[in-house]
Amino acid sequence: MMQQRKPKVCAAESAAAPGTEQELPVSQAAMARLGWPDAEGAPEHSPVARKKKLQAAKRWSSSVNVVLVAFFMILVFAGGGGVAPSVWFAAAKARLQRGSGGHGSLPYERSAPDKLLGGLLPGGFDEKSCRSRYESSIYRRNPGRQPSPHLIAKLRKHEELQRRCGPNTDAYTRAIQQLRAGKSVVGSPECKYLVSISYRGLGNRILAAASAFLYALLTDRVLLVDPSNDMDSLFCEPFPGTTWLLPRGDGFPLPGYADFSIDTPESYGNLLKNKVLRNDDDVDPSSSQQVPAFAYVHLDHDYGDDDKMFFCADDQRVLSRVPWLVMRTDLYTAPGLFLVESFREELDALFPERDAVFHHLGRYLFHPTNRVWGLVTRYYRAYLSRPGTRLGVQVRAFDAWQANSPHVLQQITSCLWKEKLLPEVLPAAATSSTEEHTTALRAETTVLMTSLRAWYSERIREMYWERGAASGEGVSVHQPSHDEHQQLGTESHEAKAWAEMYLLSLCDALVTSGWSTFGYVAQGLGGMNPWVMYRPLNITEVPDPPCGRDVSMEPCFHSPPVYDCKLKRGADTGKMLPHVRHCEDVSWGLKLVDPQTYKD
């Protein structure tokens, strides 16, 4: 079995001004629940470990405030030039706020290198056009993993490629003309392109775009994302000085590309099947074998054996000569790319921590637009900025009977209590004492629940309101929205979904529903190994155990290939590499893990 990691809980945040700190009391029960034995054993950035330092800073700040207020009082009563005392008091308050850093509603200020996530993000953007890009670190207690120097260098090089070959450049115009004429470039093309089709739910679209970008990074292709499904209204541009969106309108000469499917004649699987392209060992990749102007890569959940040859090195050599690729997937295919032998050396250099691939790609690519960021920050300040622990719980009902099932509710509470993520509630006949109420004021867990329906959060909120926590701690439960049904293509629904994924990623610990791409995105952005609630198999039985700690924060590749490209026969691809293993929630799926901590 794997070695379980403790949830990462960083310094608690408050509505204090940046650069200031506030003492954040945490009870012994809360410390025990998070795996902290005492103040000495707490993490370096935890509220407990920083308590003495904060108290000293607080005493110094209070002394300075007293001196400044006294100074302004002297000015007032010595003669204020006819100005009313209330004006002087307002001016004094403003000066004190400016002296402490201003922006009193921002919870935590990091230095400029942290704003760039250790060099992961490029500079040069207008910060006002996409506030989330550089403000997100202010709201995160967990600073996340550090990107490798090779990844940083590769990203800067790829950004230059996007600017040189992207839309509105001469190179792009020439490439479009060749595609329209149905011509393939003899030899190495000037610029190569990958068009990623956006469809299905938002979680699927995010994972698909991240997978496409990783492939583009490995093959030096310009990534162009299909702009449909509100991709431009949900996400800021990730590349400085250019766009990652395929231009709208009639300019793109493949007007039906969004409807490509497994039956499209130009799919790579069909090109192989019909002998238009060959991946035989005796075919020289540098030969004059005619390649089409474009090929469609079908990596959807329903793809066939010929399509899955995409994950073989010989087939990648063939595809490398095709100037335009159009890719459809609703999967996180990154684990499959690690199976491609010709990619392994580069992937190892880019991601020495194999369990942080989406963590880095997601934080690089996906920045909420200002509209969505407003949803995130307003909710955060209203409900999540208080002292204490933040616990995210994501509930996904895949079947109609799960919409308001007492058995699913029992699974949720059993998971939270068994793993000591929340204190159990008092028995129905018990009453809490005054001492317990006093403790509740000193320590609190804020629960952020996300679901299409409010039934589960309402039941859990009622439990703690009507009966209270057995430990005496305070528990508050919040749910931003409950639209009842998934509404694909509805902009307001998609904006709320994206905001809720992001809010979940700001929590200290996370519980997710197995199989859910919504949860995958949140855990990757937040850098957390979640507790995964196993998918119920029927109406009456609660899974036993109800949940388990995931082996990594990486998303699961739900429909991987089962083929050994070298031996040319079927194989268990979850046993070929130490860092590509089967998922906890989807037993046949693949996910990237840290081989140092993953144990069979």
Side-chain angles (χ1 to χ4, degrees), residues 22-217:
Q22 177 180 346
E23 181 181 344
L24 304 176
V26 178
S27 72
Q28 290 295 328
M31 287 192 292
R33 192 166 70 248
L34 293 170
W36 305 346
D38 48 36
E40 297 299 324
E44 178 185 355
H45 298 292
S46 70
V48 179
R50 297 166 62 188
K51 183 173 183 180
K52 292 182 180 179
K53 194 179 297 182
L54 300 184
Q55 286 176 331
K58 191 174 182 180
R59 286 195 297 270
W60 183 89
S61 178
S62 299
S63 301
V64 173
N65 289 349
V66 169
V67 172
L68 289 174
V69 171
F71 172 74
F72 286 115
M73 290 285 290
I74 292 171
L75 289 178
V76 170
F77 293 108
V83 180
S86 60
V87 177
W88 282 97
F89 286 127
K93 181 179 179 182
R95 285 183 175 85
L96 290 174
Q97 288 177 335
R98 287 197 297 272
S100 63
H103 302 292
S105 58
L106 295 180
Y108 189 75
E109 185 176 43
R110 301 189 190 277
S111 62
D114 289 320
K115 288 173 64 174
L116 297 179
L117 305 182
L120 183 72
L121 301 181
F125 279 101
D126 175 12
E127 296 193 18
K128 292 182 180 179
S129 66
C130 182
R131 292 173 20 237
S132 66
R133 189 189 315 277
Y134 302 122
E135 288 182 11
S136 62
S137 61
I138 296 173
Y139 291 84
R140 289 198 185 280
R141 294 177 181 173
N142 177 11
R145 305 277 189 90
Q146 288 295 304
S148 70
H150 190 68
L151 175 59
I152 294 172
K154 186 74 170 180
L155 290 173
R156 299 296 90 83
K157 181 180 178 182
H158 190 85
E159 290 157 8
E160 192 280 327
L161 173 67
Q162 294 278 154
R163 287 190 294 270
R164 177 167 49 87
C165 297
N168 303 315
T169 64
D170 291 340
Y172 180 80
T173 300
R174 287 191 291 271
I176 286 291
Q177 290 172 347
Q178 292 167 350
L179 178 61
R180 182 175 290 112
K183 297 179 180 179
S184 59
V185 180
V186 178
S188 178
E190 178 182 10
C191 301
K192 296 183 293 183
Y193 298 86
L194 174 64
V195 177
S196 175
I197 298 173
S198 301
Y199 91 116
R200 295 200 71 183
L202 182 58
N204 297 83
R205 300 207 302 274
I206 290 175
L207 297 182
S211 301
F213 176 64
L214 179 58
Y215 181 67
L217 205 63

Side-chain angles (χ1 to χ4, degrees), residues 206-232:
I206 290 175
L207 297 182
S211 301
F213 176 64
L214 179 58
Y215 181 67
L217 205 63
L218 292 169
T219 57
D220 295 322
R221 289 182 179 271
V222 175
L223 174 66
L224 296 174
V225 175
D226 173 23
S228 60
N229 289 307
D230 302 314
M231 294 296 284
D232 54 347

Side-chain angles (χ1 to χ4, degrees), residues 469-596:
S471 65
E473 295 184 41
V475 175
S476 60
V477 181
H478 309 277
Q479 180 171 338
S481 71
H482 46 90
D483 286 352
E484 299 302 319
H485 302 285
Q486 191 170 13
Q487 302 170 26
L488 299 179
T490 303
E491 185 174 346
S492 62
H493 175 81
E494 302 276 33
K496 287 185 284 187
W498 179 212
E500 290 183 10
M501 287 183 200
Y502 216 92
L503 285 166
L504 285 172
S505 78
L506 300 178
C507 292
D508 304 316
L510 191 60
V511 177
T512 63
S513 295
W515 296 52
S516 174
T517 57
F518 195 106
Y520 292 163
V521 172
Q523 71 196 43
L525 292 178
M528 293 176 281
N529 287 25
W531 281 265
V532 180
M533 293 186 291
Y534 303 119
R535 187 170 178 176
L537 298 178
N538 54 54
I539 298 177
T540 59
E541 294 184 19
V542 175
D544 185 19
C547 64
R549 194 72 185 274
D550 207 341
V551 296
S552 85
M553 60 182 165
E554 277 286 299
C556 180
F557 181 9
H558 285 180
S559 299
V562 287
Y563 184 74
D564 188 316
C565 299
K566 273 191 171 182
L567 300 179
K568 300 187 184 303
R569 67 185 185 193
D572 184 350
T573 47
K575 295 182 178 180
M576 295 174 65
L577 296 171
H579 50 277
V580 179
R581 297 304 178 100
H582 289 298
C583 310
E584 289 289 288
D585 56 333
V586 182
S587 60
W588 57 86
L590 296 181
K591 76 182 308 172
L592 295 163
V593 302
D594 177 2
Q596 300 300 318

Side-chain angles (χ1 to χ4, degrees), residues 142-434:
N142 177 11
R145 305 277 189 90
Q146 288 295 304
S148 70
H150 190 68
L151 175 59
I152 294 172
K154 186 74 170 180
L155 290 173
R156 299 296 90 83
K157 181 180 178 182
H158 190 85
E159 290 157 8
E160 192 280 327
L161 173 67
Q162 294 278 154
R163 287 190 294 270
R164 177 167 49 87
C165 297
N168 303 315
T169 64
D170 291 340
Y172 180 80
T173 300
R174 287 191 291 271
I176 286 291
Q177 290 172 347
Q178 292 167 350
L179 178 61
R180 182 175 290 112
K183 297 179 180 179
S184 59
V185 180
V186 178
S188 178
E190 178 182 10
C191 301
K192 296 183 293 183
Y193 298 86
L194 174 64
V195 177
S196 175
I197 298 173
S198 301
Y199 91 116
R200 295 200 71 183
L202 182 58
N204 297 83
R205 300 207 302 274
I206 290 175
L207 297 182
S211 301
F213 176 64
L214 179 58
Y215 181 67
L217 205 63
L218 292 169
T219 57
D220 295 322
R221 289 182 179 271
V222 175
L223 174 66
L224 296 174
V225 175
D226 173 23
S228 60
N229 289 307
D230 302 314
M231 294 296 284
D232 54 347
S233 66
L234 296 174
F235 305 104
C236 301
E237 295 280 1
F239 308 126
T242 186
T243 180
W244 72 331
L245 296 173
L246 184 71
R248 296 178 184 272
D250 300 329
F252 189 60
L254 301 177
Y257 74 93
D259 297 321
F260 285 172
S261 70
I262 192 172
D263 297 322
T264 298
E266 293 86 359
S267 76
Y268 183 65
N270 287 327
L271 291 175
L272 286 179
K273 190 183 303 182
N274 298 324
K275 310 296 184 183
V276 177
L277 289 176
R278 292 178 57 195
N279 61 354
D280 306 89
D281 292 336
D282 57 349
V283 175
D284 182 358
S286 62
S287 69
S288 59
Q289 177 187 198
Q290 182 64 35
V291 296
F294 83 95
Y296 165 57
V297 179
H298 186 77
L299 300 181
D300 230 6
H301 63 280
D302 64 346
Y303 65 157
D305 291 340
D306 290 310
D307 299 300
K308 294 177 183 179
M309 299 303 292
F310 174 85
F311 296 104
C312 292
D314 290 340
D315 297 81
Q316 284 302 321
R317 282 191 287 272
V318 175
L319 286 169
S320 67
R321 303 178 61 219
V322 181
W324 286 85
L325 296 180
V326 179
M327 178 182 292
R328 176 191 293 276
T329 184
D330 56 355
L331 304 166
Y332 179 66
T333 61
L337 296 178
F338 277 77
L339 299 175
V340 181
E341 188 174 8
S342 55
F343 291 160
R344 287 178 192 168
E345 183 177 353
E346 179 69 1
L347 285 168
D348 290 346
L350 291 171
F351 305 103
E353 294 180 303
R354 304 326 198 288
D355 59 340
V357 174
F358 180 74
H359 178 60
H360 293 312
L361 296 180
R363 292 187 306 158
Y364 175 80
L365 284 175
F366 305 112
H367 307 286
T369 56
N370 286 348
R371 179 198 172 196
V372 179
W373 189 237
L375 297 176
V376 173
T377 56
R378 286 191 294 273
Y379 201 88
Y380 179 99
R381 292 169 180 171
Y383 301 105
L384 303 181
S385 60
R386 64 192 66 182
T389 304
R390 294 190 304 235
L391 173 65
V393 180
Q394 180 251 341
V395 180
R396 173 64 193 271
F398 288 95
D399 303 300
W401 64 266
Q402 296 177 348
N404 53 357
S405 166
H407 294 90
V408 175
L409 177 62
Q410 182 183 347
Q411 179 184 7
I412 297 169
T413 55
S414 296
C415 174
L416 297 176
W417 296 340
K418 177 178 180 292
E419 301 297 338
K420 301 190 183 306
L421 296 168
L422 280 183
E424 295 188 40
V425 296
L426 285 164
T431 58
S432 58
S433 66
T434 304

Side-chain angles (χ1 to χ4, degrees), residues 454-475:
W455 191 83
Y456 294 108
S457 64
E458 289 173 352
R459 299 292 84 74
I460 295 174
R461 186 185 300 115
E462 288 171 359
M463 286 182 190
Y464 285 98
W465 180 34
E466 296 176 359
R467 294 159 62 182
S471 65
E473 295 184 41
V475 175

